[in-house]
Amino acid sequence: RTFRNINNRNLDRKSATVRSKIISLSRFPDFITYLLSDGCVLPPFAKSSAFLDAKPDEENDINASGLHHQSYDFAELNNEIEASIAMLGGSVMPKLNWSSPKDAAWINRGTLKCHTAGDVFLLLKSSDF
């Protein structure tokens, strides 16, 4: 069969697509600034499942280099992503337009599967795509 022979009325699109939720980042200019900034520091409210077991090391603090990282506040986006993850069954794979952060999977235990908004932030921030 070729695609020309498929009757569009009989095509079940729900079985041929991945469930998804689109979140427009244009409502969150601080997040776009965050993605474009140097460094890879999660906002204080974001929790990544890749690092949930990690204990803070006061001697080797993220800011031990003396650099001051700008503080970002996009808690509303964090809440929207968390709600979307719950709605989609507890895990998601983030995408920005046509790209996915596949080059950053190493920082998230080798996978693009995200269980928290912090996982999403971490992958998107760590990616060069």
Side-chain angles (χ1 to χ4, degrees):
R1 254 190 198 215
T2 65
F3 286 109
R4 286 182 293 218
N5 296 336
I6 296 176
N7 184 344
N8 284 339
R9 284 175 262 178
N10 294 331
L11 182 64
D12 179 16
R13 289 181 179 89
K14 285 187 177 184
S15 66
T17 59
V18 177
R19 286 182 40 206
S20 59
K21 169 78 166 113
I22 297 172
I23 298 174
S24 175
L25 296 181
S26 63
R27 297 183 353 237
F28 306 101
D30 282 352
F31 185 68
I32 295 168
T33 302
Y34 166 75
L35 288 179
L36 296 174
S37 68
D38 286 340
C40 189
V41 178
L42 285 176
F45 53 81
K47 304 293 181 217
S48 170
S49 61
F51 298 105
L52 287 179
D53 297 332
K55 294 186 173 47
D57 184 358
E58 293 177 17
E59 291 180 21
N60 295 317
D61 191 321
I62 288 174
N63 291 325
S65 64
L67 296 175
H68 297 286
H69 298 284
Q70 180 177 347
S71 178
Y72 294 95
D73 183 16
F74 31 84
E76 182 183 345
L77 175 61
N78 185 79
N79 295 339
E80 191 169 337
I81 292 172
E82 291 287 351
S84 298
I85 291 171
M87 178 191 80
L88 294 169
S91 61
V92 298
M93 186 196 88
K95 286 182 56 103
L96 288 174
N97 292 337
W98 296 105
S99 67
S100 67
K102 59 187 173 192
D103 63 323
W106 63 270
I107 202 163
N108 193 38
R109 297 182 177 162
T111 182
L112 295 179
K113 185 186 254 188
C114 297
H115 299 281
T116 67
D119 293 344
V120 173
F121 298 152
L122 190 62
L123 280 176
L124 296 178
K125 182 69 174 142
S126 302
S127 178
D128 286 333
F129 284 117

